[in-house]
Each structure stands twice: as C-alpha cells, then as structure tokens.
Amino acid sequence: SYVLTQPPSVSVAPGQTARITCGGNNIGSKNVHWYQQKSGQAPVLVVYADTNRPSGIPERFSGFNSGNTATLSISRVDAGDEAAYYCQVWGVSSDHSVVFGGGTKLTVL
Amino acid sequence: QVQLQQWGAGLLKPSETLSLTCDVNGGSFSGFYWNWIRQTPGKGLEWIGEINHSGSTNYNPSLKSRVTISIDTSKNQFSLKLNSVTAADTAMYYCARGFWDGYYYFDYWGQGNLVTVSS
C-alpha cells in the first residue's frame, strides 16, 4: 500500500517560515491536499491539489509538489498556526483509496 | 454554508455494532461523496469509506468486511455501521464531504464523535 511519510514535529519561531514535508513514491505525479487540525477540533482543508487555497485560507499557506516530496509552507508563522498538519492523496492503489500522512505537529516557539 | 452534524453511541462493548449518523445542512447533497474517517492516537487519520447520493459505496479494504455505509437522501443524512468492534476501534469518528474534480479531498467535516470500546 502507498505510504505518506511526515516528520512527527516541526518547530519554528514566530515570524519565520515553517515547511512541512510529505514524502511518497513519485508523489509529484499525484495531487496532494493538506489539512490543519487544532487541538480538540476537526481537520480543516488549507491547501488542495498541491497549490490551491480554499476560500478563507490566508495567502501565508502555500504548497509545492515535485518528485518524491510535497511541501506545505506557512510564512510569517504566529501562535495561531500551532496545530497538527496532515497530507492526503487519493486513488493510489485502487479507484477510491484515500491515504493520509501520519501528521506533523507544528510548534511555534 | 455547509454544515455536518453527527451523532451516535459513544461507549460500546466488544463485539457490539458501532452506529453513527451524519446530517448535512446547506449545499447540494448530490454531486458529492459522503465519507467516514476515524482518528486514533496510534494510527492517525484513517479513511473508512464513502457513499454517493445514488448509494454507490467504496470502503477501505482493511475494514470492508465489517463496514456498511448507507444514505437517506430524503433526510440528507448518511450513516455508518461497524460491526464486531474491538478496543482497536476506539477512535474519534468524523463524517466529511468528499469533493471530486480529477482529485479528491474533504472540504467539510463534522464535529467528530468519540467512540470508546471497553468491556
């Protein structure tokens, strides 16, 4: 089965840029989506199809996908961005299979 | 604005059947897939399965033998049944809307239901 690998944790100082990676075999050929999950809340979509932001998501959130790694970048990080972030792909081994990464906890120092 | 509100029993004994329902308010009910996703501390987010307004389903192969997802289009609701539960099924369960356009993601989520399986 297809595996998405994320680092368990990333730490960044306020005002800096956080980069969260999602590794997978030839992931650059797939569409990657990213979710933010704050403590005690349901996940929220922040980037879809590699680079697109849903309505209401700040421009500080951006995505890139190439080769074996997709990356979610969050610029000008503040305390409100502290959360777990998950990547997701679809259709990798059967028509409607959905795979999530293990999640990365972003800590704002 | 689309809102998903879910409910169901939160405490089960081993071998019982988990049953959850998700009500969809706002937006179109057709044209989307309606999903169940669970989250455990150990395994993170796990997709359980989906159904569309026509009743066509797809399930995670690892759970397929125990899962049934059904839909009631007259009420804009869909439901999950997971039978023969064990402690490993203890998780937060979410319903979510799946949007397909050559790729597939979840744009609206329910608030979640914590289900605990314990004797």
Side-chain angles (χ1 to χ4, degrees), chain A residues 1-5 22-30 65-69 89 92:
Chain A
S1 61
Y2 194 77
V3 176
L4 296 175
T5 301
C22 176
N25 185 30
N26 198 25
I27 196 174
S29 67
K30 310 178 194 318
N65 185 18
S66 178
N68 293 316
T69 305
V89 298
V92 292

Short mmCIF file of all heavy atoms in Angstrom, two decimals, chain A residues 1-5 22-30 65-69 89 92:
data_model
loop_
_atom_site.label_atom_id
_atom_site.label_comp_id
_atom_site.label_asym_id
_atom_site.label_seq_id
_atom_site.Cartn_x
_atom_site.Cartn_y
_atom_site.Cartn_z
N SER A 1 0.84 -1.19 0.00
CA SER A 1 0.00 0.00 0.00
C SER A 1 0.88 1.25 0.00
O SER A 1 2.05 1.20 0.37
CB SER A 1 -0.92 0.00 1.21
OG SER A 1 -0.17 0.01 2.40
N TYR A 2 0.31 2.33 -0.43
CA TYR A 2 1.05 3.58 -0.57
C TYR A 2 1.21 4.24 0.79
O TYR A 2 0.26 4.33 1.56
CB TYR A 2 0.29 4.50 -1.52
CG TYR A 2 1.10 5.68 -2.02
CD1 TYR A 2 2.06 5.52 -3.01
CD2 TYR A 2 0.88 6.94 -1.51
CE1 TYR A 2 2.79 6.59 -3.48
CE2 TYR A 2 1.60 8.03 -1.96
CZ TYR A 2 2.56 7.85 -2.95
OH TYR A 2 3.28 8.92 -3.41
N VAL A 3 2.43 4.72 1.08
CA VAL A 3 2.73 5.31 2.37
C VAL A 3 3.15 6.78 2.19
O VAL A 3 3.98 7.09 1.33
CB VAL A 3 3.85 4.53 3.09
CG1 VAL A 3 4.21 5.22 4.40
CG2 VAL A 3 3.41 3.09 3.36
N LEU A 4 2.57 7.63 3.01
CA LEU A 4 2.97 9.04 3.06
C LEU A 4 3.70 9.28 4.37
O LEU A 4 3.17 8.99 5.44
CB LEU A 4 1.74 9.96 2.99
CG LEU A 4 0.94 9.89 1.68
CD1 LEU A 4 -0.32 10.75 1.79
CD2 LEU A 4 1.79 10.34 0.51
N THR A 5 4.91 9.81 4.28
CA THR A 5 5.76 9.97 5.46
C THR A 5 5.93 11.45 5.80
O THR A 5 6.40 12.23 4.98
CB THR A 5 7.14 9.34 5.20
OG1 THR A 5 6.97 7.94 4.89
CG2 THR A 5 8.02 9.47 6.44
N CYS A 22 5.98 15.98 3.09
CA CYS A 22 5.18 14.76 2.95
C CYS A 22 5.84 13.94 1.86
O CYS A 22 5.82 14.34 0.69
CB CYS A 22 3.75 15.13 2.59
SG CYS A 22 2.64 13.74 2.28
N GLY A 23 6.45 12.83 2.24
CA GLY A 23 7.17 12.01 1.29
C GLY A 23 6.38 10.81 0.82
O GLY A 23 5.69 10.18 1.61
N GLY A 24 6.51 10.52 -0.46
CA GLY A 24 5.84 9.35 -1.03
C GLY A 24 6.46 9.02 -2.37
O GLY A 24 6.97 9.91 -3.06
N ASN A 25 6.36 7.77 -2.76
CA ASN A 25 6.94 7.31 -4.02
C ASN A 25 6.30 8.04 -5.20
O ASN A 25 5.10 7.90 -5.45
CB ASN A 25 6.76 5.80 -4.15
CG ASN A 25 7.45 5.25 -5.38
OD1 ASN A 25 8.47 5.79 -5.82
ND2 ASN A 25 6.90 4.20 -5.97
N ASN A 26 7.11 8.87 -5.89
CA ASN A 26 6.63 9.62 -7.05
C ASN A 26 5.38 10.45 -6.73
O ASN A 26 4.47 10.58 -7.55
CB ASN A 26 6.33 8.66 -8.21
CG ASN A 26 6.24 9.36 -9.55
OD1 ASN A 26 6.83 10.43 -9.75
ND2 ASN A 26 5.47 8.80 -10.46
N ILE A 27 5.38 11.03 -5.53
CA ILE A 27 4.22 11.82 -5.10
C ILE A 27 3.97 13.01 -6.02
O ILE A 27 2.87 13.53 -6.12
CB ILE A 27 4.38 12.27 -3.63
CG1 ILE A 27 3.04 12.72 -3.06
CG2 ILE A 27 5.44 13.35 -3.51
CD1 ILE A 27 3.06 13.03 -1.57
N GLY A 28 5.02 13.45 -6.73
CA GLY A 28 4.88 14.57 -7.64
C GLY A 28 3.87 14.32 -8.76
O GLY A 28 3.39 15.26 -9.39
N SER A 29 3.55 13.04 -9.01
CA SER A 29 2.59 12.69 -10.05
C SER A 29 1.16 12.65 -9.52
O SER A 29 0.23 12.38 -10.29
CB SER A 29 2.94 11.33 -10.66
OG SER A 29 2.76 10.31 -9.71
N LYS A 30 1.01 12.93 -8.23
CA LYS A 30 -0.31 12.86 -7.62
C LYS A 30 -0.71 14.25 -7.12
O LYS A 30 0.13 15.13 -6.97
CB LYS A 30 -0.30 11.87 -6.46
CG LYS A 30 0.31 10.53 -6.85
CD LYS A 30 0.38 9.56 -5.73
CE LYS A 30 1.29 8.37 -6.05
NZ LYS A 30 1.12 7.84 -7.42
N ASN A 65 4.77 20.54 -4.91
CA ASN A 65 4.85 19.08 -5.01
C ASN A 65 5.69 18.70 -6.21
O ASN A 65 5.39 19.08 -7.35
CB ASN A 65 3.43 18.49 -5.15
CG ASN A 65 3.43 16.99 -5.14
OD1 ASN A 65 4.40 16.36 -4.72
ND2 ASN A 65 2.33 16.40 -5.59
N SER A 66 6.75 17.94 -5.97
CA SER A 66 7.63 17.52 -7.05
C SER A 66 8.41 16.30 -6.60
O SER A 66 8.75 16.16 -5.41
CB SER A 66 8.59 18.65 -7.43
OG SER A 66 9.47 18.25 -8.45
N GLY A 67 8.68 15.41 -7.55
CA GLY A 67 9.50 14.25 -7.24
C GLY A 67 8.85 13.36 -6.19
O GLY A 67 7.74 12.90 -6.36
N ASN A 68 9.58 13.15 -5.12
CA ASN A 68 9.10 12.28 -4.04
C ASN A 68 8.67 13.04 -2.79
O ASN A 68 8.45 12.43 -1.74
CB ASN A 68 10.17 11.26 -3.66
CG ASN A 68 10.45 10.26 -4.77
OD1 ASN A 68 9.51 9.74 -5.39
ND2 ASN A 68 11.71 9.99 -5.03
N THR A 69 8.56 14.38 -2.89
CA THR A 69 8.22 15.18 -1.71
C THR A 69 7.25 16.31 -2.05
O THR A 69 7.47 17.07 -2.99
CB THR A 69 9.49 15.79 -1.10
OG1 THR A 69 10.44 14.76 -0.81
CG2 THR A 69 9.15 16.53 0.20
N VAL A 89 -3.59 11.97 -0.15
CA VAL A 89 -3.71 11.72 -1.58
C VAL A 89 -4.85 10.74 -1.81
O VAL A 89 -5.36 10.12 -0.86
CB VAL A 89 -2.40 11.18 -2.21
CG1 VAL A 89 -1.28 12.19 -2.06
CG2 VAL A 89 -2.02 9.84 -1.61
N VAL A 92 -4.44 5.92 -5.14
CA VAL A 92 -3.08 5.46 -5.41
C VAL A 92 -2.98 3.96 -5.67
O VAL A 92 -2.08 3.51 -6.34
CB VAL A 92 -2.14 5.85 -4.26
CG1 VAL A 92 -1.96 7.35 -4.22
CG2 VAL A 92 -2.64 5.35 -2.93
#
